[in-house]
Amino acid sequence: MDAATWLNVLALTISICALTTSVWLAGHQVRAAQQANCLPTYLELLSEFRSPELHDQYAYVCSRLNQEHSPDGGLRALPVGPREIAYNVAYFFQTFASLYALGIIDEKTAIMMVRSRTIKVWEALRPYVERERQYPDVDPNMLSLLEAFARISAEYRGPAAIQVMNARHKRASLLRRLLPPRL
């Protein structure tokens, strides 16, 4: 091959690399924009997670609901107060599961924060939800994201929170050593 052909092949290779890099960067920008748009929702969810009221409601659902009320009639048969608490807790964790399912928060973040709680909530509410799904006016997939998230949480065998924190700390330390200091 002559020099002109080599030059054309080189130019084509560089163009393909530039196009691939542009598409890759555009994909990352779209994902970052999506996550940024959902950040207020995520922060509001975390704010609610810190509220004593949610923790009290969680404790009620997980420890007293089944003792005080039969699941035979589903969620709709519960008295107003317990029904409101059950829906509040269920949909709080369902929202968390939705953020995970949409890829807004990653598996480690989602599961490490609410893993055991999600499992306990689903165990407590499962008989009520399963009965509720049998009614003809109820979506048979009611709270299915919560159910799936609880299953994923139960099967998760990833690193413990402390391992993740240590790994992030090591990466941050490495980056600080590799990057030039800011002025």
Side-chain angles (χ1 to χ4, degrees):
M1 276 200 262
D2 63 351
T5 304
W6 279 109
L7 190 58
N8 286 337
V9 170
L10 180 62
L12 181 61
T13 303
I14 291 171
S15 297
I16 290 171
C17 288
L19 177 63
T20 303
T21 302
S22 295
V23 169
W24 182 76
L25 288 173
H28 276 300
Q29 286 178 328
V30 167
R31 180 152 168 81
Q34 288 171 337
Q35 288 178 332
N37 287 338
C38 296
L39 187 60
T41 303
Y42 181 60
L43 292 176
E44 183 178 332
L45 198 61
L46 291 178
S47 175
E48 186 176 345
F49 188 64
R50 290 189 307 262
S51 76
E53 182 181 10
L54 180 70
H55 289 278
D56 292 345
Q57 291 176 347
Y58 164 81
Y60 175 79
V61 165
C62 293
S63 63
R64 292 182 26 218
L65 182 67
N66 290 355
Q67 294 173 358
E68 295 176 8
H69 304 284
S70 169
D72 294 340
L75 292 166
R76 67 180 63 198
L78 292 172
V80 174
R83 185 172 62 235
E84 183 178 320
I85 289 170
Y87 276 119
N88 187 43
V89 171
Y91 281 103
F92 172 83
F93 287 95
Q94 169 108 341
T95 302
F96 223 99
S98 299
L99 291 174
Y100 167 68
L102 293 170
I104 294 165
I105 55 177
D106 65 2
E107 183 176 53
K108 287 179 186 172
T109 303
I111 292 176
M112 282 191 325
M113 288 187 66
V114 294
R115 178 179 182 266
S116 62
R117 287 177 175 252
T118 302
I119 296 166
K120 288 177 184 175
V121 165
W122 178 247
E123 287 173 356
L125 292 176
R126 187 182 81 244
Y128 297 92
V129 173
E130 287 175 349
R131 175 60 185 115
E132 193 72 20
R133 289 175 178 170
Q134 295 174 1
Y135 290 110
D137 63 329
V138 174
D139 180 359
N141 295 311
M142 174 189 188
L143 293 169
S144 60
L145 281 174
L146 173 61
E147 179 181 11
F149 190 59
R151 189 177 323 111
I152 289 168
S153 294
E155 295 170 358
Y156 183 70
R157 297 294 178 252
I162 191 70
Q163 292 170 314
V164 172
M165 296 299 283
N166 286 338
R168 290 201 189 266
H169 175 72
K170 286 178 185 175
R171 279 194 299 269
S173 295
L174 178 64
L175 283 174
R176 280 192 298 273
R177 282 185 264 139
L178 293 175
L179 295 175
R182 294 181 182 172
L183 298 176

